[in-house]
Amino acid sequence: MIRDQGLVSKIWRLAVWAVAGLFILNLIGVIAAVVVNSFATRWLGTWLPVGLTTKWYFSAWKEFQLSSVVFVTFQIVFTVVIISGILGVTTAYALARRDFPGKRLVVLLFLLPLLIPPLTYGIPLATVLYQIGLGGSFWGVVLINLVPSLPFVVLVMIPFIEQIDPRIEAAARVFGAGTGSLFLRILLPLLLPGMLAALLLVLVRTIAMFELTFLIAGPTSQTLVVSLYYAVFAAGVRAGQSIDAMAVIYMVTTLFWLILALQFVNPSQIVARAKQQPAS
Amino acid sequence: MSTPSLRTRLAARGFDGTTLLILPGLAVMLGLFIYPFFYGLADSIMPKEGAWYANYVTFFRDPFQYRTIASTLWLALPVTIVNLAFAVPIAFRVRLMTRQRLLTTILVLPITLGTVFVADGLLTFLGPQGWFNRVLVLVGLLDAPVKLTNNYWGVFASLVITGFPFAFLLTLSYVTGIDPAIEQAAATLGANARQRFTKVFLPLLVPGLAVTFCLAFVQAFAVFPSAVLLGAPAGPTRVISIAAYQAAFEQYDHSLGTAIAMIMGAVELVVVLAVLGARSMFYRGPTGGTKG
């Protein structure tokens, strides 16, 4: 690797690292502020709270009815993951294996929801869902969350399927595998790592998806992040520590899946399809 | 001469049983994305009262409404530029690191935690008694704590906290995609660090940076929860998504709400197209060094 040894480039290097370090320090400060406050007995005008307690977790769990909110959140999130997984993988398979007229248009259709702000398509979609009576319901929340998650699965899976050699499938056919056993015994094991990665990423994104869920969720179909928003929005009604305890519970549920997902994917894949490393 | 069967002719063009597998996914997208879009477009030109364009007139006549475009851009554009300006040099440094995993894992945290959590954290962190103000007072940069929440800067900070890692990780994936042999060739031919960056890397990076700018801009432009929680949602940070939400779900005028959502999409599209149009004026080609 090329390294310049001049004074100017040394200063420049130092400045770049300093900025990066400052950013990370602030980031950790923001997260730590929430965690520390959730354990604080009283924290006013001092560096650290007066004393530590875990009582806010119990009061938050009761006040915000978190047992039902967490249950609903996982119901919604897993339903979204299963539906977008099944539909996304089949769609991605067809798009990866076949070239047909209009394919570019279909791919564009799957790209658009990721390029348009959620509220722009969320408000018309929520209006439609309210008019067919799905407003505030479980399935309304599931349907609105499919719009970003299905394309996400498709776009993650297309390059993954493309790199599986189609001759493997042809060979299985030659040896007499039917469509069912071809899928179960050849494709599924090959696709599993990619599917796992894609679905875990959808899981993490759906838990954190605020805007769309917020538009449609009713009292019985709120996810954790929407409840958190309402709690912060009405800050002052409840103790700040209680709200932060809820935020920590939300953080732990997200981080659990994030850490699981990071076993299979590179962090940069969470924002973008990772670039293929140049061959050799 | 017999013509091949319809099935054979379709298969030759790429339509067979496998192609049909796209139908379920396509149906969902048509039903949940395309149909609501056109429904919304039609809904927005059927206002509660007045001519078909009445909603758009309402929006552009009322300063409380049309100023949201400016206040959204006034947040989203500077934030995107700042995020990208910091992301590029840091990505260039990190590219040389052998163990990037810890750094990228830390940076992916705010993206996965989302804006609501970050807004909640910033309310404490940036508050008058928060650690940020305390450190600045302690170091002597400030005499008294400054107000950083419930105004423009609170929203700005939240967009930097979530937006910078996003821009950085995208930029990093583009930067590492450039063949290091190209830089070595430039260095062998006597280019110094500045020349290597401006003459070699930058032209190769422009397409990727344009895409990164667009994606980061879309995120910042769509700012909603943090503008409410951390900003002044009735004043300077009344962004266009707040206007759309209030019209649709607080005044129950879904016709006006969708009209504002359409305006929001159009404004964003103008910026994205301008950036992508500017990109086409630069070099487009392979970033690998090997022969094609």
Side-chain angles (χ1 to χ4, degrees), chain B residues 76-120:
Chain B
L77 282 175
V79 162
T80 314
I81 292 167
V82 165
N83 284 342
L84 222 61
F86 283 112
V88 173
I90 295 177
F92 264 87
R93 277 294 130 214
V94 171
R95 150 189 86 108
L96 304 171
M97 272 167 70
T98 42
R99 295 176 62 83
Q100 303 170 354
R101 182 97 182 180
L102 179 67
L103 182 71
T104 45
T105 306
I106 294 175
L107 285 181
V108 94
L109 283 181
I111 303 174
T112 41
L113 289 176
T115 39
V116 179
F117 181 90
V118 169
D120 179 39

Side-chain angles (χ1 to χ4, degrees), chain A residues 1 4 13 24 26 34 45-47 94 98-99 109 115 117 119-120 124 128 131 208 244 247 250 255 262 271-272, chain B residues 14 16 18 22 34 36 39 93 96 101 103 109 112-113 120-121 125 129 131 134 166 170 173 193 196 241 261 268:
Chain A
M1 207 36 77
D4 293 299
R13 208 141 64 209
I24 288 177
N26 278 295
V34 176
T46 45
W47 282 93
R98 292 287 179 276
D99 251 328
L109 175 64
L115 298 177
L119 279 182
T120 303
V128 171
Q131 273 176 2
D244 280 342
Y250 162 76
L255 289 192
L262 287 179
V271 293
Chain B
D16 60 8
T18 307
I22 66 163
I34 298 296
Y39 178 90
R93 277 294 130 214
L96 304 171
R101 182 97 182 180
L103 182 71
L109 283 181
T112 41
L113 289 176
D120 179 39
F125 183 74
Q129 290 297 332
W131 286 334
R134 284 182 160 274
F166 181 82
L170 270 176
S173 76
R196 287 202 301 274
S241 44
E268 184 228 282

Side-chain angles (χ1 to χ4, degrees), chain A residues 24 27 31 41 54 64-65 80 92 106 142 161 185 195 200 225 239 243 249:
Chain A
I24 288 177
L27 173 58
I31 296 174
T41 47
T54 52
F64 300 112
Q65 290 153 347
V80 168
V106 175
V142 170
I161 295 171
R185 300 178 60 182
M195 274 172 69
L200 280 170
V225 68
I243 297 169
I249 293 169

